[in-house]
Amino acid sequence: INNLNRITFILLLFCLLSCCMYANNSTGQRAAKKYNILIIHSYQFNLEWTKELNRGIEDCFSDHFVQAEFFSIHLDTKRIASKQQHRTKLETGLTSYTNEEIDLIFVCDDSALSNLLELNHPLSQQVPVVFCGVEDLDAARLKQHPNITGITEPFDFSETFLFARRLFPESKKLY
């Protein structure tokens, strides 16, 4: 996650955590509750991107003195091509965590968010959902899910192309 997205992500997380901590406490004192956080990853558990996201999420909670237990679902979309297998894996995972009283769902990357929206599992409608690392977001789909928010990573192809031309001005072909 680049620095700007990391800062935005941390601010969004802090706001969400503040709401969770004070929602059931009319005196405004910090709740002593231990939060159950489900993280849904598009990729496998040992991918460096996945490890960095987990570390960032866990650090953000601990930096704000919020006790949390983390659960994960890894869709493994880099190695498993079948969208049906992704949905089956996600549905099985969500169903298995239904009794854990999940307080928050983090969704990491496009494939995980797309599968979550398509699956329309009851847990994803009852719990706040925060996504990150999403490049291709259909905002109209989110209007049906008021409990979902997050950070997009818009990709500027023309700016990237111009930057590549400045880096390699002699190049005749750009791949």
Side-chain angles (χ1 to χ4, degrees):
I1 302 174
N2 67 35
N3 286 338
L4 182 58
N5 283 343
R6 183 174 172 86
I7 291 168
T8 307
F9 176 72
I10 290 171
L11 287 174
L12 180 65
L13 177 61
F14 181 74
C15 290
L16 188 59
L17 289 174
S18 296
C19 291
C20 288
M21 288 188 301
Y22 298 113
N24 294 324
N25 193 332
S26 61
T27 62
Q29 296 175 353
R30 179 175 285 182
K33 179 180 180 187
K34 184 173 188 175
Y35 294 93
N36 292 323
I37 312 300
L38 176 61
I39 306 172
I40 303 171
H41 289 284
S42 291
Y43 310 122
Q44 66 266 24
F45 72 95
N46 60 348
L47 193 68
E48 195 58 37
W49 165 254
T50 305
K51 291 177 187 177
E52 287 294 320
L53 279 171
N54 273 343
R55 209 172 0 256
I57 292 168
E58 291 173 12
D59 287 351
C60 191
F61 277 84
S62 65
D63 289 351
H64 291 93
F65 308 103
V66 177
Q67 293 182 12
E69 184 167 354
F70 298 94
F71 305 92
S72 297
I73 298 172
H74 300 272
L75 300 182
D76 205 359
T77 60
K78 293 264 187 213
R79 298 187 292 192
I80 300 171
S82 166
K83 286 190 175 201
Q84 183 57 45
Q85 283 182 306
H86 301 155
R87 280 191 214 103
T88 300
K89 197 171 194 179
L90 181 58
E91 183 170 24
T92 302
L94 288 171
T95 301
S96 70
Y97 290 118
T98 302
N99 293 330
E100 294 297 330
E101 295 186 22
I102 298 297
D103 297 298
L104 178 68
I105 299 174
F106 270 104
V107 181
C108 303
D109 217 70
D110 292 82
S111 183
L113 180 61
S114 177
N115 278 292
L116 185 70
L117 292 174
E118 289 171 17
L119 184 59
N120 209 21
H121 191 277
L123 186 61
S124 69
Q125 298 169 10
Q126 300 162 356
V127 175
V129 176
V130 177
F131 62 83
C132 66
V134 172
E135 294 174 9
D136 186 28
L137 178 67
D138 181 2
R141 286 178 74 189
L142 284 186
K143 288 182 180 180
Q144 302 166 9
H145 305 276
N147 63 315
I148 298 179
T149 189
I151 299 170
T152 59
E153 295 180 349
F155 191 77
D156 189 341
F157 288 102
S158 59
E159 195 62 38
T160 302
F161 175 77
L162 294 173
F163 181 68
R165 295 293 295 167
R166 285 194 304 269
L167 284 176
F168 306 102
E170 302 86 26
S171 296
K172 301 293 181 208
K173 293 183 181 179
L174 189 63
Y175 298 93

